[in-house]
Amino acid sequence: VEKERELLAPVRERADFVIDTSKTSTAQLRMELLRIFEGKDEKGGLSVTVASFGFKYGIPEDADLVFDVRFLPNPYYSEDLRLLTGEDQSVRDYVMQGGTCAQFLDKLYDMMDFLLPNYINEGKNQLVVAVGCTGGKHRSVTVARALCGHLTAKAEYGIKIEHRDIDKDNKRK
């Protein structure tokens, strides 16, 4: 795989679109290709993927922007929350406690609202925003969900969310 990536690096650099199909169904790939080449479901000419991940598994290779949320309260250390994920309301409430996450999200929203139109002006058509915590199950999922909600509410971009490492430890309920 490393050798293939090395050989294909010049092609990837020249590509207008890069599609990671490792977790994509045939139907999802078809829809993505239609969106790209026929303009179906195109919003603002920019497709944004918000991806949560765990730093212990490495930063996603296709990430354009990476945000580290390991400064937020960690549900892993709460026995009641450890086996849950950021998809669960109790975990989201825990991460949001104290106001630090809300303050961070306000700043993140402001930055994204500034960046996305400027990326479009420069001709960028796809963007991967990666949000990472230690294991990719709690804090990163919570923040990625919130960011995805903010961007989706604007209805100006094609948005999708991926949680790369949410099930890595197989400790999910």
Side-chain angles (χ1 to χ4, degrees):
V1 173
E2 290 296 323
K3 184 68 173 167
E4 285 181 14
R5 285 186 178 141
E6 182 180 313
L7 289 170
L8 292 173
V11 175
R12 182 183 178 104
E13 289 175 348
R14 295 181 52 211
D16 291 327
F17 302 96
V18 177
I19 302 172
D20 179 1
T21 60
S22 58
K23 292 185 179 182
T24 304
S25 70
T26 305
Q28 290 170 323
L29 177 59
R30 181 181 179 281
M31 290 304 294
E32 183 69 5
L33 291 172
L34 285 173
R35 186 197 64 73
I36 291 170
F37 295 105
E38 292 185 7
K40 304 238 191 247
D41 194 34
E42 191 167 328
K43 297 179 179 182
L46 183 65
S47 174
V48 180
T49 301
V50 179
S52 68
F53 73 96
F55 276 99
K56 71 181 184 178
Y57 301 112
I59 296 172
E61 274 192 35
D62 58 348
D64 295 297
L65 300 170
V66 178
F67 296 97
D68 182 348
V69 296
R70 290 177 288 186
F71 63 91
L72 296 172
N74 192 347
Y76 179 84
Y77 295 109
S78 171
E79 194 68 37
D80 294 341
L81 303 176
R82 182 175 295 158
L83 300 181
L84 302 178
T85 74
E87 295 287 353
D88 297 291
Q89 186 62 48
S90 55
V91 169
R92 292 194 300 271
D93 291 344
Y94 186 91
V95 172
M96 293 296 290
Q97 73 181 337
T100 303
C101 188
Q103 187 178 8
F104 171 74
L105 285 171
D106 285 343
K107 293 176 184 304
L108 181 59
Y109 297 161
D110 187 48
M111 181 168 45
M112 296 306 294
D113 292 347
F114 170 79
L115 288 174
L116 296 183
N118 284 292
Y119 281 133
I120 291 170
N121 289 341
E122 284 300 311
K124 192 155 183 65
N125 50 35
Q126 76 180 21
L127 185 75
V128 177
V129 181
V131 181
C133 63
T134 305
K137 300 174 85 71
H138 301 114
R139 296 168 289 180
S140 62
V141 172
T142 297
V143 171
R145 280 177 49 99
L147 179 58
C148 188
H150 173 78
L151 297 175
T152 300
K154 294 194 155 298
E156 297 171 22
Y157 315 106
I159 307 293
K160 71 177 180 176
I161 190 166
E162 297 175 353
H163 302 300
R164 187 190 76 180
D165 301 328
I166 197 168
D167 291 319
K168 282 271 169 78
D169 292 333
N170 295 326
K171 294 180 182 176
R172 197 161 181 217
K173 65 177 182 176

